[in-house]
Each structure stands twice: as C-alpha cells, then as structure tokens.
C-alpha cells in the first residue's frame, strides 16, 4: 500500500473485511486485510475499564489497512460483554489467552506470526503472556502499567477508604448474588475513573474527564473489590522473561503510566525499544496524537512481523 500513512484519513472499508469470532463463550472482532492473503495477526486488548470499539476501532482499522489482521475484544464485564465491570487482572489474562488461541487457530490469518498490543493494564498482561509463550513474536506495550497499585489514588486517605470498601465488597457482593441482584448493581461500587484525590479504581489527573470525552458518556462504576485486586497485582518480576521484540510507548504527559516508569520497565526487557510521544494517556486514542503514536507502532510491526 503506497503513500504516507500519516496523511491518510479513515481507511476505506474495502481495504479489509470484518467478522465476529468466538472467544471462550464470548465474541471478538476480526479485521482481515484484503491482502496479503496470509496476513500476520495482532491481538488488540483494550485499556483498563474501556470497551474496545469506541477506543480502539480506529487503531484496528489502521493496522488492517497496513496489511495486518487484527483481533479486538472486550474484557469480561465491559463493552459488549455484560457483567459486573470488575477490574480483575487474572480474569483479563484469561481473556487474552483465549484471544491468542483464537487468533492462532483462525484459518484466515497467519497465526504463526502473532503480535500482542495492550494499553496500561492490558499492556502488562500482554508482556506477561509473551513471557510465558514462544508463540508471541512481538509486543507493543503502549503506556504499560505493571503495578496495579499505581492506578489507585495516590493520596493515602482516599486509597485506604477505597481499599476498606473493597474488602467489604466481597461479602456484600456474595450476598447480592444470593439475592439475585444484577451483576452490575450488586455489592459496594466505586467510580471506575476519578481524579487523584478521589476514591476510584483508576485515579489520575483528568482521567474521568478524558474518558468521558472519549466515550461520550459517563464511564460508570466498578465493584470496590477491584481496588483490592489492583493493589495485589504486580508484574514487575515477569518482564525480564520476555524474549520477543517489544516496543514500549511512553506518553510525555501521561498521568496514568508516567514516562519514567515506562522507561524503567523497558530496561528490563532484552530486546526492547522505547519511544516517547508528546501525549497524555487517553489522548493517544484519537486524532493527531493517535496518528503520531501509530506511526511508531506501525514502523515497529513492519520491522518485526
């Protein structure tokens, strides 16, 4: 495909086809380019608390236009998958493993050339999956978060209040389940996104506003026990086992995954590249910041797949 990718607008639907694929009882969405016939495949995992379609559809289309197959999916409880909207790193890893298996087995793509793409929490999950498998040929870790506790409120008082609510949520949710309360209403709930001093699962400056603008709606709530699960989540020791080429993308204005932390994580991977983009965390999902970031990611994919 000729021409400057950066100058293109939204790609033509004629450049690729799309269809649903089964993922362990759920559905993913496969983008297949018209050519090449045996396209390498990228498994695209959304950021924490985000549905894939409003946040990653533009990214998937750009990759497909470039000649890559893309399998995008929602984590359980988010987007097209009904549920409790629980931020569970363990559950998200199981969702990613199911997507990897589906991508490798799909006859329309070359499952022997497979890359993982993740953002914040799912970037850490992608790195962990790559560390556990030789089937992964490359990883793009955009604004990765390896320590779930860094997503929680940085101020001590709201963090402790949130964790206390999280502990209380375990019996409250169990009681709600016994009473037949809907999954997205049972137990003790807290905002998914909030500012630094607020009780929320992901607390960072302007996070709630940026996600609201991105989705065009309020991002909603999550079970309070999400904070407990994030507090316990730490993949720092796993990254050193990643053996495939990895691109770390750091946002110079990122309040969720600070660029210093991303740079430090990249130093632990044997075959890692680091790029810095002048973007905040969620701004890189649309507009000029998306195009600028994608140019780096596409150059990496072109060289490794």
């Amino acid at each position: 495909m000729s021409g400057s990718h950066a100058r293109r607008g939204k790609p033509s639907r004629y450049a690729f086809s799309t269809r649903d694929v089964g993922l362990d009882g759920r559905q993913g969405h496969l983008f297949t380019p018209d050519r090449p016939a045996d396209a390498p495949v990228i498994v695209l995992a959304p950021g924490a608390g985000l549905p894939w379609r409003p946040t990653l559809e533009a990214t998937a289309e750009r990759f497909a236009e470039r000649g890559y197959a893309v399998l995008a999916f929602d984590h359980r409880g988010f987007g097209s998958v009904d549920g409790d909207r629980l931020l569970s790193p363990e559950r998200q890893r199981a969702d990613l493993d199911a997507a990897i298996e589906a991508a490798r087995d799909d006859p329309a793509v070359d499952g022997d050339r497979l890359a993982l793409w993740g953002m914040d929490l799912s970037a850490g999950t992608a790195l962990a999956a790559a560390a556990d498998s030789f089937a992964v040929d490359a990883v793009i870790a955009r604004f990765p978060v390896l320590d779930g506790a860094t997503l929680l409120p940085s101020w001590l008082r709201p963090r402790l209040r949130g964790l206390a609510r999280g502990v209380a949520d375990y019996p409250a949710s169990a009681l709600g389940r016994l009473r037949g309360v809907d999954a997205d209403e049972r137990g003790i709930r807290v905002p998914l996104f909030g500012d630094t001093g607020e009780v929320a699962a992901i607390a960072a400056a302007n996070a709630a506003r940026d996600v609201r603008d991105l989705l065009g709606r309020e991002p909603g709530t999550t079970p309070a026990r999400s904070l407990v699960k994030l507090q316990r989540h730490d993949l720092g020791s796993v990254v050193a086992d990643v053996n495939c080429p990895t691109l770390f993308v750091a946002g110079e204005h990122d309040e969720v995954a600070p660029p210093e932390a991303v740079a430090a994580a990249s130093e632990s991977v044997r075959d890692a590249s680091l790029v810095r983009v002048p973007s905040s965390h969620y701004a890189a999902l649309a507009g000029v910041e998306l195009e600028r970031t994608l140019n780096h990611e596409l150059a990496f994919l072109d060289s490794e797949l």
Side-chain angles (χ1 to χ4, degrees):
M1 299 182 182
S2 61
S4 170
H5 178 80
R7 289 195 298 268
R8 296 184 181 184
K10 186 172 182 177
S12 167
R13 287 282 182 181
Y14 295 103
F16 52 87
S17 58
T18 65
R19 61 180 170 86
D20 291 334
V21 296
L23 298 177
D24 192 22
R26 299 171 294 111
Q27 281 192 333
H29 204 69
L30 182 67
F31 295 72
T32 308
D34 293 343
R35 54 186 186 275
D38 57 344
V41 60
I42 305 165
V43 176
L44 206 65
L50 300 177
W52 83 263
R53 190 175 292 277
T55 60
L56 294 182
E57 186 170 26
T59 296
E61 289 176 342
R62 299 306 192 275
F63 287 158
E65 182 197 35
R66 188 72 156 232
Y68 297 101
V70 180
L71 178 58
F73 67 95
D74 281 319
H75 292 116
R76 272 175 285 178
F78 294 92
S80 61
V81 187
D82 293 334
D84 52 11
R85 300 167 66 83
L86 177 69
L87 283 176
S88 167
E90 297 82 5
R91 199 162 74 177
Q92 292 189 6
R93 172 61 192 273
D95 293 342
L96 177 62
D97 287 343
I100 292 172
E101 183 177 358
R104 285 179 52 80
D105 292 344
D106 196 290
V109 306
D110 183 357
D112 291 329
R113 290 186 293 161
L114 182 142
L116 304 181
W117 184 104
M119 174 178 166
D120 54 55
L121 202 61
S122 70
T125 305
L127 290 166
D132 290 342
S133 174
F134 289 105
V136 179
D137 297 296
V139 176
I140 295 175
R142 185 190 288 184
F143 314 149
V145 171
L146 304 182
D147 182 356
T150 62
L151 296 174
L152 303 183
S154 58
W155 295 5
L156 181 60
R157 185 171 295 178
R159 178 183 289 239
L160 292 178
R161 283 205 306 266
L163 290 171
R165 293 178 190 178
V167 172
D169 180 45
Y170 282 93
S173 293
L175 182 60
R177 188 180 302 110
L178 290 174
R179 292 178 172 176
V181 178
D182 290 342
D184 60 350
E185 296 180 356
R186 69 173 68 122
I188 301 169
R189 304 188 69 84
V190 300
L192 262 170
F193 299 91
D195 283 332
T196 305
E198 297 177 345
V199 175
I202 301 172
N206 301 319
R209 183 202 66 188
D210 291 348
V211 173
R212 187 185 310 115
D213 292 345
L214 187 66
L215 300 180
R217 59 170 175 79
E218 292 294 330
T221 62
T222 185
R225 65 186 184 278
S226 291
L227 279 74
V228 178
K229 291 184 176 294
L230 291 173
Q231 177 71 29
R232 295 171 175 170
H233 180 65
D234 188 354
L235 296 176
S237 62
V238 175
V239 176
D241 295 329
V242 177
N243 292 304
C244 64
T246 302
L247 176 66
F248 285 81
V249 183
E252 293 179 353
H253 312 299
D254 195 337
E255 298 282 351
V256 178
E260 297 80 9
V262 176
S266 72
E267 294 175 357
S268 301
V269 177
R270 297 180 184 88
D271 189 3
S273 302
L274 171 68
V275 297
R276 294 175 180 261
V277 294
S279 176
S280 60
H281 195 77
Y282 299 106
L285 291 171
V288 174
E289 288 86 351
L290 171 62
E291 294 298 335
R292 183 184 294 118
T293 306
L294 280 178
N295 284 337
H296 293 290
E297 295 175 350
L298 284 164
F300 170 78
L301 291 168
D302 290 347
S303 66
E304 300 299 342
L305 289 183

